[in-house]
Amino acid sequence: MHHKSLFLLFLILLGVSEASEAQTSFGIRGGYSSSNITYRYAPGRPPVRTSGITAPTFAFVMEHFTNKNAGIQIELQYLKLGYTQEDEVSLAVNQSEWEYLKVPFLSNFYAGRGGRFHIKLGPHFGYLLNATDTQRNFEGPTLLPTYGGPQDDPRKFMYGLTGGAGLSKLFGKSTLEGDVRFSYEFGRPERQDRIFDMNSTNIEITLTYLFQVAKTKLQN
């Protein structure tokens, strides 16, 4: 029911914006993401935090304004999440990476004219493309398990919330945006109950280039 409500709200916003011939832009976004995993290997145990991974990310972007200061943004994003875990004694390293196709549905709010401050917030959904254990050098019952093996069978679906803020500058029909975003994942790749709980967070620092293909009457 929650997912149906979000989809209905998106259709209503899109219908209103089309009726008012709101501004539409397309573009690309690229930069780097840094992810971290916190987990509990058993009930009642303290959380264990991993150092995560840093990787490039990029996306195709559609931005659609309903008026001068608010609109919606939809992206088709390639994103890599994962963890890096180090043994304190031997300094051996375990690392796994998860490649996702992620689709954020964001509400945009802007303040300013040529140079603008913006806030973006909304749900995201995604699908696991590939899971790889890039390093596996030590084992133990309190460690995160592997995810790239033939018997691991990680969960494919991801969902969560994404929010961020940044600055943008208009150059005629072009827009250049700088963003810092934070995402929290409600889903997790573990589906065999090998660990008790897992939480994933992600920070992205990116630049976006947009080109306007239609213009709202409100800005004429």
Side-chain angles (χ1 to χ4, degrees), residues 68-69 108-120 164-169 177-180:
K68 290 183 179 181
N69 299 311
N108 294 355
F109 303 95
Y110 286 88
R113 297 180 63 85
R116 305 180 298 182
F117 173 76
H118 61 257
I119 296 175
K120 303 174 187 264
L167 298 173
S168 63
K169 178 68 176 178
E177 296 183 349
D179 271 315
V180 177

Side-chain angles (χ1 to χ4, degrees), residues 22-41:
Q23 174 180 312
T24 303
S25 298
F26 290 91
I28 55 175
R29 183 169 73 93
Y32 282 87
S33 69
S34 178
S35 62
N36 286 284
I37 303 295
T38 302
Y39 71 98
R40 297 175 188 268
Y41 58 87

Side-chain angles (χ1 to χ4, degrees), residues 195-207:
I195 57 172
F196 173 68
D197 190 27
M198 175 191 292
N199 295 299
S200 175
T201 58
N202 182 51
I203 295 176
E204 301 173 29
I205 300 177
T206 61
L207 287 175

